[in-house]
């Protein structure tokens, strides 16, 4: 096994990988390559199609439109369009975006098995994990790669945020589950998300809409798109604001999303992608589990002196530098975020011949943040750049239909970041500077993939990725006291070389069912920020982190049991080495990261779609995910005492064992009420531990959502179509944990004994409550 794990191979293996990557397109480009691969080699696990995709098109694997403008017949698709052998769920517009007020991307992605959601820090920010590998995170999404229209929106340090994602802009989202570094490179240890915006021809006009609902929620959005000769454009813009259901949780965010294409000749296509998002969000306080049970929504917490029972307070240094602390609530501390994200990218596609397409894409991605919340304030600028060139060839290999793909990619981010103490009162005041970071993080790698139809019913897939990543930087830490300020310097100069092979086999004897097996690897290098936060939760030296590696096995089946019922079942078993563990050392402090030597993730994913009568439809997504440490000894210190605890066999914090979504709906198929519909939806999640010792378990939940919608053409009016919808979420007004920051275990400074559940239950800085009963309604006019 070690030789198969990413990162275990040395320079010899790297040279062999480079030879293989170079050879793949050359073999497929040989003169014998004349026939396109048969459509029967394309497998997709489960599809939830939408209003912009004809029914059955996605599920049958016959959609031949690539991202951006559609290529001419015979042009090669992007490799992420219907890759054979992958475990992919396609989530479309129907039932998820088109006829419901999707206030965040979280309400959409729950349709996919394997996806776990946590409320992020403010506004519509959510933290997404696939197969639980990131479920403990509560601020930034990591351990997956995110793309939009084929362009990366995960920065080179592995960070993805979903503030910039407005669900209304999308026609489909593909969820890739399992290790994916052979296809997507660094950070894809658990999977990938591929967002697809609506193209100009999908929109074919313009639309205006408004949603309004509980807690001051108000969304205005506008879409325009069409085709004129060689030009195609799709533009989406929105303004969303709300007061929030917790104290200090109002937000205001604006998004612009552009996809434009120019096709001067049948074999040349140019695509432009632009995204800009600005968010201003107040940040509520994360409480303890005890506080959640008393005051889940942190209401009546305007001032510490008059705070209601269960309010969370944070101790801010009275002078912002040293000495005594003053307790403040989130409102008194003016905790907030002011962030901006801008992405500008372009792609040129050229069909060398009817079977071969060459692409080059470049992009600029800048993330600026100003986050004065809790006991510290972070400010940073992260401009990044990416370049990728790839070649796709359809043809024959040794007389067998085949598709080959090879890519070379480079990305880099230049980081300038600072951390300040917070000072109390008078708004979001900054105290003394306590940390200053300058770093450059880069990734350079190549990837190759071969799909070959061994026989009419058998398709084999082989992939290999190799990548070198580097982090060079420094962190200066400042400590201020009555006698002055001192500083210490921590530097990092790290190089990581990783390899990621992948093999898969698909057996599809008939269109209605298929069996698939897959073994794949993934890797994720540390981010610059994790190298410079120590176990105290303050800026410092943590530069010895290792690459997180995983080896995963998937076995599954996709079957149409009878007309109208599509079922997908996947079993997975994944072995992690040096898994990243991120947790909070205390209220208001920065999360720190360390490596757990070995762990195992295993489970079952079930997805189903059932059209059981005209207009009647059901959707099911279920995940069982069992994750345990198999080799991890945790060392904890307090005062002069240090103790070691063996965590082998303990469940990994933050990961629920069971997750479930079921939706049953009816849409009137014909007659005067055609277009009227509704559905009932249940979302349930098991409880999970929030500490490595498995002493504290947050409770699970089940919530009920109800929806009604109406869509009809307006043949005699100025508008072409009207869409009306309303949704009551959490009908029973259940108070549940929407996000829990994992907590560090502690020991008694006098005895060295591990502190029990009561101490953890009273530790603040962990819990956000999920939304209470909420109603949102909206309208969209299409012209």
């Amino acid at each position: 096994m070690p030789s198969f794990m990413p990162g275990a191979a040395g320079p010899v293996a790297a040279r062999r990988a480079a030879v293989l990557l170079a050879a793949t397109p050359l073999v497929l480009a040989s003169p014998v390559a004349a026939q396109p691969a048969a459509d029967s080699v394309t497998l997709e696990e489960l599809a939830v199609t939408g209003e912009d995709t004809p029914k059955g098109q996605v599920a049958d694997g016959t959609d031949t439109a690539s991202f951006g403008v559609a290529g001419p017949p015979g042009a090669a698709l992007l490799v992420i369009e219907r890759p054979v052998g992958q475990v992919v769920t396609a989530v479309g517009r129907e039932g998820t975006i088109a006829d419901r007020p999707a206030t965040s991307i979280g309400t959409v992605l729950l349709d996919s098995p394997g996806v776990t959601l946590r409320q992020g820090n403010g506004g519509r920010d959510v933290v997404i994990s696939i197969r639980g590998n990131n479920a403990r995170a509560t601020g930034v999404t990591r351990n997956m790669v995110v793309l939009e229209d084929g362009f990366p929106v995960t920065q080179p340090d592995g960070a993805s945020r979903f503030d910039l994602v407005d669900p209304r802009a999308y026609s489909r989202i593909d969820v890739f589950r399992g290790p994916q570094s052979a296809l997507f490179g660094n950070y894809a240890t658990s999977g990938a998300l591929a967002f697809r915006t609506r193209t100009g021809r999908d929109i074919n006009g313009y639309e205006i809409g408004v949603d309004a609902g509980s807690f001051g929620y108000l969304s205005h959005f506008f879409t325009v798109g069409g085709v004129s000769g060689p030009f195609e454009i799709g533009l989406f813009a929105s303004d969303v604001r709300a007061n929030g259901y917790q104290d200090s949780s109002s937000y205001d965010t604006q998004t612009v999303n552009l996809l434009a294409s120019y096709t001067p000749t049948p074999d040349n296509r140019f695509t432009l992608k632009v995204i800009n998002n600005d968010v201003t969000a107040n940040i509520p306080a994360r409480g303890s589990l005890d506080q959640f049970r008393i005051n889940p929504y942190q209401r009546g917490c305007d001032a510490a002196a008059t705070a209601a029972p269960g309010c969370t307070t944070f101790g801010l240094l009275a002078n912002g530098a040293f000495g005594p602390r003053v307790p403040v609530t989130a409102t008194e501390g003016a905790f907030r975020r002011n962030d901006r994200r801008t992405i500008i990218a372009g792609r040129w596609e050229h069909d060398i011949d009817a079977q071969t397409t060459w692409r080059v894409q470049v992009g600029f991605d800048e993330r600026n943040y100003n986050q004065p919340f809790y006991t510290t304030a972070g400010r940073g600028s992260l401009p990044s750049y990416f370049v990728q060139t790839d070649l796709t060839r359809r043809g024959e290999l040794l007389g067998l239909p085949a598709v080959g793909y090879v890519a070379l990619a480079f990305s880099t981010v230049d980081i300038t970041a600072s951390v300040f103490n917070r000072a109390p009162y008078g708004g979001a005041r900054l105290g003394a500077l306590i940390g200053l970071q300058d770093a450059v993080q880069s990734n350079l790698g190549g990837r190759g993939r071969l799909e070959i139809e061994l026989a009419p019913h058998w398709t084999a897939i082989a992939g290999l990725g190799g990548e070198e990543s580097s982090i060079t930087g420094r962190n200066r830490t400042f400590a201020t006291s009555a006698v002055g300020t001192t500083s210490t310097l921590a530097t990092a100069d790290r190089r990581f070389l990783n390899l990621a092979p992948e093999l898969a086999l698909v057996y599809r004897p008939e269109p209605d069912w298929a069996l698939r097996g897959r073994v794949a690897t993934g890797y994720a290098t540390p981010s610059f920020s994790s190298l410079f936060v120590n176990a105290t939760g303050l800026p410092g030296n943590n530069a010895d982190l290792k690459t997180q590696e995983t080896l995963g096995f998937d076995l599954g089946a996709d079957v149409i049991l009878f007309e109208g019922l599509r079922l997908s079942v996947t079993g997975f078993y994944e072995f992690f080495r040096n898994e990243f563990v991120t947790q909070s050392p205390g209220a208001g402090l920065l999360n720190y990261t360390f490596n757990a030597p070995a762990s195992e993730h295993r489970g079952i994913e079930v997805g189903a779609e059932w059209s059981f009568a005209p207009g009647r439809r059901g959707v099911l997504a279920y995940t069982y995910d069992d994750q345990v440490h198999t080799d991890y000894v945790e060392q904890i210190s307090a005062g002069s005492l240090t103790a070691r605890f063996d965590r082998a066999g303990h469940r990994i914090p933050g990961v629920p064992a069971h997750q479930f979504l079921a939706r049953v709906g009816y849409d009137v198929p014909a007659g005067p009420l055609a277009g009227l519909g509704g559905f009932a939806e249940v979302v349930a999640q098991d409880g999970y531990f929030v500490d490595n010792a498995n002493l504290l378990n947050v409770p699970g939940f089940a919530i009920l959502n109800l929806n009604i919608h109406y869509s009809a053409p307006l043949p005699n009016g100025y508008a072409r179509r009207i869409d009306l919808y309303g949704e009551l979420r959490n009908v029973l007004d259940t108070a549940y944990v929407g996000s829990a920051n994992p907590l560090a275990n502690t020991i008694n400074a006098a005895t060295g004994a591990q502190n029990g559940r009561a101490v953890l239950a009273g530790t603040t800085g962990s819990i956000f409550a999920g939304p209470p009963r909420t109603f949102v309604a909206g309208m969209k006019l299409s012209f």
Side-chain angles (χ1 to χ4, degrees), residues 636 638 645 691 693 695 745-749 751-760:
I636 306 175
F645 299 91
D691 68 301
L695 299 175
N745 292 103
T746 58
I747 61 174
N748 186 296
T751 65
Q754 183 171 252
N755 290 320
R757 181 186 181 282
V759 172
L760 289 168

Side-chain angles (χ1 to χ4, degrees), residues 481-533:
S481 65
V483 298
T485 300
T486 60
S487 67
T488 57
L489 180 65
T491 61
D493 188 1
R494 301 291 308 278
R495 297 290 187 274
F496 307 90
L497 178 62
N498 295 286
L499 294 179
E502 174 185 358
L503 295 171
L505 185 65
V506 177
Y507 174 58
R508 189 167 193 169
E510 55 183 85
D512 286 350
W513 67 277
L515 300 176
R516 49 185 161 73
R518 177 175 180 263
V519 55
T521 51
Y523 57 87
T525 58
S527 67
F528 81 97
S529 57
S530 62
L531 297 180
F532 296 128
V533 177

Side-chain angles (χ1 to χ4, degrees), residues 402 422 779:
R422 277 298 321 274
M779 176 187 72

